[in-house]
Amino acid sequence: MRYIFYIMGKSSSGKDTIYKHLIDELNLKPIVIYTTRPMREDEQNGREYFFVNKDCFEKMLSDGKIIEKRVYNTVHGEWIYFTAYNSIDISEKNCIGIGTPESFMKVREHFGDAVVPIYIEVDDGIRLSRAVERERNEINPKYKELCRRFLADCDDFSAENLLSAGIIKRFQNNSDIDSCIVEIKRYIVNNFL
């Protein structure tokens, strides 16, 4: 059986760094989802996301090509993130993606028990410091959006939502991301590969 390892965590929990390590070290195929939000300076179309406009999203939705979608009302307008059927292909190798408990449940509805949750947990104070530092390095920092996203995470990743999604196992990334990566790799290799 091939698996989809689904990384989740609040903003600035280290998901992207962990994701990149796991792709390389476990030879996993990345799941690239779509978004209508603007591309950041360090991003590349087709690598982190497929960046599309709202018309493209509407067309894919009406054509029945979308597994799940999330709409965020940001301080910069409405941003949509979505997983299309062509985003995930487990026919040749195990995959890895990043999402929310809500998107995890939708993907799991489609792929069943092949979808394995990997939840990254970080103290909120540490996350806030990391988020501010990352935003400070942007050419045009968006602090207001950082605050909106930080507060929205409290609802999206509430204990209630995690429990209803069946997400019980948690990996701590409060200080040493390398130890967190080793723990996640051990979990995946010992239980699924």
Short mmCIF file of all heavy atoms in Angstrom, two decimals, residues 60-107:
data_model
loop_
_atom_site.label_atom_id
_atom_site.label_comp_id
_atom_site.label_asym_id
_atom_site.label_seq_id
_atom_site.Cartn_x
_atom_site.Cartn_y
_atom_site.Cartn_z
N MET A 60 -12.11 24.91 -12.64
CA MET A 60 -11.76 23.60 -12.12
C MET A 60 -12.87 23.07 -11.20
O MET A 60 -13.19 21.88 -11.21
CB MET A 60 -10.42 23.63 -11.38
CG MET A 60 -9.23 23.84 -12.31
SD MET A 60 -7.66 23.97 -11.44
CE MET A 60 -7.37 22.25 -11.00
N LEU A 61 -13.46 23.96 -10.42
CA LEU A 61 -14.55 23.57 -9.53
C LEU A 61 -15.76 23.10 -10.33
O LEU A 61 -16.32 22.03 -10.05
CB LEU A 61 -14.92 24.74 -8.61
CG LEU A 61 -15.96 24.47 -7.53
CD1 LEU A 61 -15.46 23.42 -6.54
CD2 LEU A 61 -16.30 25.77 -6.79
N SER A 62 -16.15 23.86 -11.34
CA SER A 62 -17.32 23.48 -12.15
C SER A 62 -17.05 22.22 -12.97
O SER A 62 -17.98 21.47 -13.27
CB SER A 62 -17.75 24.64 -13.06
OG SER A 62 -16.79 24.89 -14.06
N ASP A 63 -15.80 21.95 -13.30
CA ASP A 63 -15.44 20.72 -14.04
C ASP A 63 -15.29 19.51 -13.11
O ASP A 63 -14.95 18.41 -13.57
CB ASP A 63 -14.13 20.92 -14.82
CG ASP A 63 -14.30 21.87 -15.99
OD1 ASP A 63 -15.44 22.19 -16.36
OD2 ASP A 63 -13.25 22.29 -16.56
N GLY A 64 -15.49 19.68 -11.80
CA GLY A 64 -15.39 18.58 -10.85
C GLY A 64 -13.97 18.08 -10.64
O GLY A 64 -13.76 16.90 -10.36
N LYS A 65 -12.98 18.97 -10.72
CA LYS A 65 -11.58 18.57 -10.61
C LYS A 65 -10.97 18.82 -9.23
O LYS A 65 -9.78 18.65 -9.04
CB LYS A 65 -10.75 19.31 -11.66
CG LYS A 65 -11.12 18.94 -13.08
CD LYS A 65 -10.27 19.67 -14.09
CE LYS A 65 -10.61 19.20 -15.50
NZ LYS A 65 -9.80 19.87 -16.50
N ILE A 66 -11.81 19.21 -8.26
CA ILE A 66 -11.29 19.61 -6.95
C ILE A 66 -11.76 18.65 -5.86
O ILE A 66 -12.95 18.36 -5.75
CB ILE A 66 -11.71 21.06 -6.64
CG1 ILE A 66 -11.05 22.00 -7.66
CG2 ILE A 66 -11.33 21.44 -5.22
CD1 ILE A 66 -11.44 23.45 -7.52
N ILE A 67 -10.80 18.17 -5.05
CA ILE A 67 -11.09 17.29 -3.91
C ILE A 67 -11.57 18.11 -2.72
O ILE A 67 -12.54 17.77 -2.06
CB ILE A 67 -9.84 16.47 -3.50
CG1 ILE A 67 -9.43 15.52 -4.61
CG2 ILE A 67 -10.09 15.72 -2.19
CD1 ILE A 67 -8.10 14.81 -4.36
N GLU A 68 -10.83 19.18 -2.43
CA GLU A 68 -11.17 20.02 -1.28
C GLU A 68 -10.72 21.44 -1.53
O GLU A 68 -9.82 21.69 -2.32
CB GLU A 68 -10.54 19.48 0.01
CG GLU A 68 -9.03 19.50 0.06
CD GLU A 68 -8.42 20.82 0.49
OE1 GLU A 68 -9.07 21.61 1.18
OE2 GLU A 68 -7.28 21.07 0.09
N LYS A 69 -11.41 22.39 -0.84
CA LYS A 69 -11.05 23.80 -0.96
C LYS A 69 -11.23 24.48 0.38
O LYS A 69 -12.03 24.06 1.21
CB LYS A 69 -11.91 24.49 -2.01
CG LYS A 69 -13.38 24.56 -1.67
CD LYS A 69 -14.16 25.30 -2.75
CE LYS A 69 -15.64 25.26 -2.53
NZ LYS A 69 -16.11 25.78 -1.27
N ARG A 70 -10.41 25.53 0.59
CA ARG A 70 -10.50 26.36 1.78
C ARG A 70 -10.45 27.81 1.34
O ARG A 70 -9.61 28.17 0.53
CB ARG A 70 -9.33 26.10 2.72
CG ARG A 70 -9.37 24.72 3.36
CD ARG A 70 -8.00 24.24 3.75
NE ARG A 70 -7.37 23.61 2.58
CZ ARG A 70 -6.08 23.62 2.33
NH1 ARG A 70 -5.25 24.23 3.12
NH2 ARG A 70 -5.60 23.02 1.27
N VAL A 71 -11.35 28.62 1.87
CA VAL A 71 -11.39 30.04 1.51
C VAL A 71 -11.07 30.85 2.77
O VAL A 71 -11.68 30.65 3.82
CB VAL A 71 -12.79 30.43 0.97
CG1 VAL A 71 -12.82 31.91 0.62
CG2 VAL A 71 -13.16 29.57 -0.23
N TYR A 72 -10.09 31.74 2.64
CA TYR A 72 -9.69 32.60 3.75
C TYR A 72 -9.95 34.05 3.38
O TYR A 72 -9.50 34.52 2.33
CB TYR A 72 -8.20 32.40 4.07
CG TYR A 72 -7.87 31.00 4.50
CD1 TYR A 72 -7.31 30.09 3.61
CD2 TYR A 72 -8.14 30.57 5.80
CE1 TYR A 72 -7.01 28.79 4.00
CE2 TYR A 72 -7.85 29.27 6.19
CZ TYR A 72 -7.28 28.39 5.30
OH TYR A 72 -7.00 27.11 5.69
N ASN A 73 -10.67 34.74 4.25
CA ASN A 73 -10.90 36.18 4.05
C ASN A 73 -9.78 36.91 4.75
O ASN A 73 -9.82 37.13 5.96
CB ASN A 73 -12.27 36.58 4.61
CG ASN A 73 -13.38 35.95 3.80
OD1 ASN A 73 -13.38 36.07 2.58
ND2 ASN A 73 -14.28 35.25 4.45
N THR A 74 -8.76 37.28 3.99
CA THR A 74 -7.57 37.89 4.55
C THR A 74 -7.68 39.41 4.50
O THR A 74 -8.62 39.95 3.90
CB THR A 74 -6.30 37.46 3.76
OG1 THR A 74 -6.27 38.17 2.51
CG2 THR A 74 -6.28 35.97 3.51
N VAL A 75 -6.72 40.07 5.09
CA VAL A 75 -6.70 41.53 5.03
C VAL A 75 -6.40 42.01 3.61
O VAL A 75 -6.57 43.18 3.30
CB VAL A 75 -5.69 42.13 6.03
CG1 VAL A 75 -6.09 41.78 7.46
CG2 VAL A 75 -4.28 41.68 5.74
N HIS A 76 -5.98 41.12 2.73
CA HIS A 76 -5.69 41.46 1.33
C HIS A 76 -6.76 40.94 0.38
O HIS A 76 -6.56 40.92 -0.82
CB HIS A 76 -4.32 40.89 0.93
CG HIS A 76 -3.21 41.37 1.80
ND1 HIS A 76 -2.73 42.66 1.77
CD2 HIS A 76 -2.52 40.75 2.77
CE1 HIS A 76 -1.78 42.80 2.67
NE2 HIS A 76 -1.64 41.66 3.30
N GLY A 77 -7.87 40.49 0.91
CA GLY A 77 -8.94 39.95 0.09
C GLY A 77 -9.06 38.44 0.29
O GLY A 77 -8.42 37.84 1.15
N GLU A 78 -9.90 37.83 -0.53
CA GLU A 78 -10.17 36.40 -0.42
C GLU A 78 -9.06 35.57 -1.07
O GLU A 78 -8.73 35.80 -2.23
CB GLU A 78 -11.52 36.11 -1.10
CG GLU A 78 -12.01 34.72 -0.94
CD GLU A 78 -13.37 34.55 -1.60
OE1 GLU A 78 -13.40 34.30 -2.83
OE2 GLU A 78 -14.39 34.66 -0.89
N TRP A 79 -8.50 34.62 -0.33
CA TRP A 79 -7.50 33.70 -0.85
C TRP A 79 -8.08 32.30 -0.77
O TRP A 79 -8.62 31.90 0.26
CB TRP A 79 -6.21 33.76 -0.05
CG TRP A 79 -5.42 35.02 -0.19
CD1 TRP A 79 -5.64 36.05 -1.07
CD2 TRP A 79 -4.27 35.40 0.57
NE1 TRP A 79 -4.71 37.05 -0.88
CE2 TRP A 79 -3.85 36.67 0.12
CE3 TRP A 79 -3.57 34.80 1.59
CZ2 TRP A 79 -2.75 37.33 0.64
CZ3 TRP A 79 -2.47 35.46 2.13
CH2 TRP A 79 -2.07 36.72 1.64
N ILE A 80 -7.92 31.55 -1.83
CA ILE A 80 -8.44 30.19 -1.90
C ILE A 80 -7.27 29.23 -2.04
O ILE A 80 -6.36 29.46 -2.83
CB ILE A 80 -9.41 30.02 -3.10
CG1 ILE A 80 -10.53 31.05 -3.02
CG2 ILE A 80 -9.96 28.59 -3.15
CD1 ILE A 80 -11.36 31.17 -4.28
N TYR A 81 -7.31 28.16 -1.26
CA TYR A 81 -6.35 27.06 -1.37
C TYR A 81 -7.16 25.82 -1.71
O TYR A 81 -8.22 25.61 -1.11
CB TYR A 81 -5.62 26.83 -0.05
CG TYR A 81 -4.69 27.95 0.36
CD1 TYR A 81 -5.17 29.11 0.94
CD2 TYR A 81 -3.32 27.82 0.19
CE1 TYR A 81 -4.31 30.13 1.33
CE2 TYR A 81 -2.45 28.83 0.57
CZ TYR A 81 -2.95 29.98 1.13
OH TYR A 81 -2.11 30.99 1.51
N PHE A 82 -6.68 25.01 -2.66
CA PHE A 82 -7.45 23.82 -2.99
C PHE A 82 -6.57 22.70 -3.53
O PHE A 82 -5.51 22.93 -4.09
CB PHE A 82 -8.57 24.14 -3.98
CG PHE A 82 -8.16 24.73 -5.29
CD1 PHE A 82 -8.05 23.93 -6.43
CD2 PHE A 82 -7.92 26.09 -5.42
CE1 PHE A 82 -7.70 24.47 -7.66
CE2 PHE A 82 -7.57 26.64 -6.65
CZ PHE A 82 -7.45 25.83 -7.77
N THR A 83 -7.06 21.48 -3.29
CA THR A 83 -6.39 20.28 -3.78
C THR A 83 -7.20 19.74 -4.94
O THR A 83 -8.40 19.44 -4.79
CB THR A 83 -6.31 19.20 -2.67
OG1 THR A 83 -5.70 19.76 -1.52
CG2 THR A 83 -5.51 17.99 -3.14
N ALA A 84 -6.57 19.62 -6.08
CA ALA A 84 -7.22 19.05 -7.26
C ALA A 84 -6.87 17.57 -7.36
O ALA A 84 -5.92 17.10 -6.75
CB ALA A 84 -6.75 19.79 -8.52
N TYR A 85 -7.67 16.85 -8.11
CA TYR A 85 -7.40 15.42 -8.29
C TYR A 85 -6.01 15.19 -8.88
O TYR A 85 -5.34 14.22 -8.54
CB TYR A 85 -8.47 14.77 -9.16
CG TYR A 85 -9.77 14.59 -8.41
CD1 TYR A 85 -10.82 15.49 -8.58
CD2 TYR A 85 -9.94 13.54 -7.52
CE1 TYR A 85 -12.00 15.33 -7.88
CE2 TYR A 85 -11.11 13.39 -6.81
CZ TYR A 85 -12.14 14.28 -7.00
OH TYR A 85 -13.30 14.13 -6.28
N ASN A 86 -5.54 16.09 -9.75
CA ASN A 86 -4.22 15.92 -10.35
C ASN A 86 -3.07 16.31 -9.42
O ASN A 86 -1.91 16.17 -9.76
CB ASN A 86 -4.10 16.68 -11.68
CG ASN A 86 -4.12 18.18 -11.52
OD1 ASN A 86 -4.33 18.72 -10.43
ND2 ASN A 86 -3.91 18.88 -12.62
N SER A 87 -3.40 16.76 -8.20
CA SER A 87 -2.37 17.12 -7.22
C SER A 87 -1.74 15.89 -6.58
O SER A 87 -0.62 15.95 -6.09
CB SER A 87 -2.95 17.99 -6.10
OG SER A 87 -3.44 19.21 -6.58
N ILE A 88 -2.49 14.78 -6.53
CA ILE A 88 -2.06 13.60 -5.79
C ILE A 88 -2.06 12.37 -6.70
O ILE A 88 -3.08 12.03 -7.29
CB ILE A 88 -2.99 13.33 -4.58
CG1 ILE A 88 -3.03 14.56 -3.66
CG2 ILE A 88 -2.52 12.10 -3.81
CD1 ILE A 88 -4.03 14.46 -2.52
N ASP A 89 -0.91 11.73 -6.78
CA ASP A 89 -0.78 10.49 -7.56
C ASP A 89 0.07 9.51 -6.76
O ASP A 89 1.28 9.67 -6.66
CB ASP A 89 -0.14 10.78 -8.92
CG ASP A 89 0.10 9.52 -9.74
OD1 ASP A 89 -0.42 8.44 -9.37
OD2 ASP A 89 0.81 9.62 -10.75
N ILE A 90 -0.58 8.50 -6.18
CA ILE A 90 0.15 7.51 -5.38
C ILE A 90 0.37 6.21 -6.15
O ILE A 90 0.69 5.19 -5.56
CB ILE A 90 -0.54 7.23 -4.02
CG1 ILE A 90 -1.98 6.78 -4.20
CG2 ILE A 90 -0.45 8.43 -3.12
CD1 ILE A 90 -2.66 6.34 -2.92
N SER A 91 0.25 6.28 -7.46
CA SER A 91 0.40 5.05 -8.25
C SER A 91 1.85 4.55 -8.26
O SER A 91 2.09 3.36 -8.39
CB SER A 91 -0.09 5.26 -9.68
OG SER A 91 0.69 6.24 -10.34
N GLU A 92 2.83 5.44 -8.13
CA GLU A 92 4.22 5.03 -8.24
C GLU A 92 5.02 5.15 -6.95
O GLU A 92 5.98 4.42 -6.74
CB GLU A 92 4.92 5.84 -9.34
CG GLU A 92 4.35 5.55 -10.72
CD GLU A 92 5.04 6.34 -11.80
OE1 GLU A 92 6.12 6.89 -11.57
OE2 GLU A 92 4.45 6.43 -12.89
N LYS A 93 4.67 6.10 -6.09
CA LYS A 93 5.42 6.25 -4.84
C LYS A 93 4.59 6.94 -3.79
O LYS A 93 3.56 7.54 -4.09
CB LYS A 93 6.76 6.95 -5.08
CG LYS A 93 6.67 8.39 -5.51
CD LYS A 93 7.97 9.00 -6.02
CE LYS A 93 9.11 9.00 -5.10
NZ LYS A 93 10.25 9.80 -5.55
N ASN A 94 5.04 6.85 -2.55
CA ASN A 94 4.36 7.52 -1.44
C ASN A 94 4.48 9.04 -1.62
O ASN A 94 5.47 9.54 -2.14
CB ASN A 94 5.00 7.12 -0.11
CG ASN A 94 4.82 5.65 0.18
OD1 ASN A 94 3.71 5.14 0.21
ND2 ASN A 94 5.92 4.95 0.39
N CYS A 95 3.44 9.75 -1.15
CA CYS A 95 3.38 11.20 -1.31
C CYS A 95 3.40 11.89 0.04
O CYS A 95 3.16 11.27 1.08
CB CYS A 95 2.10 11.59 -2.04
SG CYS A 95 1.98 11.01 -3.73
N ILE A 96 3.66 13.19 -0.02
CA ILE A 96 3.62 14.02 1.19
C ILE A 96 3.03 15.38 0.82
O ILE A 96 3.32 15.93 -0.24
CB ILE A 96 5.02 14.17 1.83
CG1 ILE A 96 4.92 14.85 3.18
CG2 ILE A 96 5.99 14.86 0.89
CD1 ILE A 96 6.19 14.76 4.02
N GLY A 97 2.17 15.89 1.72
CA GLY A 97 1.56 17.19 1.50
C GLY A 97 1.42 17.95 2.79
O GLY A 97 1.70 17.42 3.87
N ILE A 98 0.97 19.18 2.67
CA ILE A 98 0.76 20.06 3.82
C ILE A 98 -0.68 20.57 3.76
O ILE A 98 -1.16 20.94 2.69
CB ILE A 98 1.73 21.27 3.80
CG1 ILE A 98 3.18 20.80 3.84
CG2 ILE A 98 1.44 22.22 4.95
CD1 ILE A 98 4.20 21.93 3.70
N GLY A 99 -1.34 20.61 4.92
CA GLY A 99 -2.70 21.11 4.94
C GLY A 99 -3.20 21.39 6.34
O GLY A 99 -2.42 21.54 7.28
N THR A 100 -4.51 21.45 6.46
CA THR A 100 -5.20 21.72 7.72
C THR A 100 -6.00 20.48 8.11
O THR A 100 -6.20 19.59 7.29
CB THR A 100 -6.18 22.90 7.54
OG1 THR A 100 -7.18 22.51 6.60
CG2 THR A 100 -5.47 24.16 7.08
N PRO A 101 -6.50 20.43 9.35
CA PRO A 101 -7.36 19.30 9.71
C PRO A 101 -8.56 19.16 8.76
O PRO A 101 -8.96 18.05 8.39
CB PRO A 101 -7.80 19.62 11.14
CG PRO A 101 -6.68 20.43 11.69
CD PRO A 101 -6.20 21.27 10.52
N GLU A 102 -9.12 20.29 8.35
CA GLU A 102 -10.27 20.27 7.44
C GLU A 102 -9.88 19.65 6.09
O GLU A 102 -10.59 18.78 5.57
CB GLU A 102 -10.77 21.71 7.24
CG GLU A 102 -11.93 21.83 6.29
CD GLU A 102 -12.31 23.28 6.01
OE1 GLU A 102 -11.65 24.21 6.54
OE2 GLU A 102 -13.26 23.47 5.24
N SER A 103 -8.76 20.08 5.52
CA SER A 103 -8.36 19.53 4.22
C SER A 103 -7.93 18.07 4.37
O SER A 103 -8.18 17.24 3.49
CB SER A 103 -7.25 20.36 3.59
OG SER A 103 -6.05 20.32 4.34
N PHE A 104 -7.30 17.74 5.49
CA PHE A 104 -6.91 16.35 5.78
C PHE A 104 -8.13 15.44 5.72
O PHE A 104 -8.10 14.37 5.10
CB PHE A 104 -6.24 16.27 7.15
CG PHE A 104 -6.14 14.88 7.71
CD1 PHE A 104 -5.23 13.97 7.22
CD2 PHE A 104 -6.99 14.47 8.73
CE1 PHE A 104 -5.14 12.67 7.72
CE2 PHE A 104 -6.92 13.19 9.26
CZ PHE A 104 -6.00 12.29 8.75
N MET A 105 -9.23 15.84 6.37
CA MET A 105 -10.43 15.01 6.38
C MET A 105 -11.00 14.81 4.98
O MET A 105 -11.44 13.71 4.64
CB MET A 105 -11.47 15.60 7.34
CG MET A 105 -11.06 15.46 8.79
SD MET A 105 -12.36 15.86 9.99
CE MET A 105 -12.62 17.60 9.68
N LYS A 106 -10.98 15.86 4.17
CA LYS A 106 -11.50 15.75 2.79
C LYS A 106 -10.62 14.82 1.95
O LYS A 106 -11.12 13.99 1.19
CB LYS A 106 -11.58 17.12 2.13
CG LYS A 106 -12.59 18.04 2.75
CD LYS A 106 -13.98 17.63 2.37
CE LYS A 106 -14.97 18.67 2.85
NZ LYS A 106 -16.33 18.28 2.61
N VAL A 107 -9.31 14.95 2.08
CA VAL A 107 -8.40 14.08 1.33
C VAL A 107 -8.55 12.64 1.82
O VAL A 107 -8.56 11.70 1.03
CB VAL A 107 -6.94 14.58 1.43
CG1 VAL A 107 -5.96 13.58 0.84
CG2 VAL A 107 -6.80 15.94 0.74
#
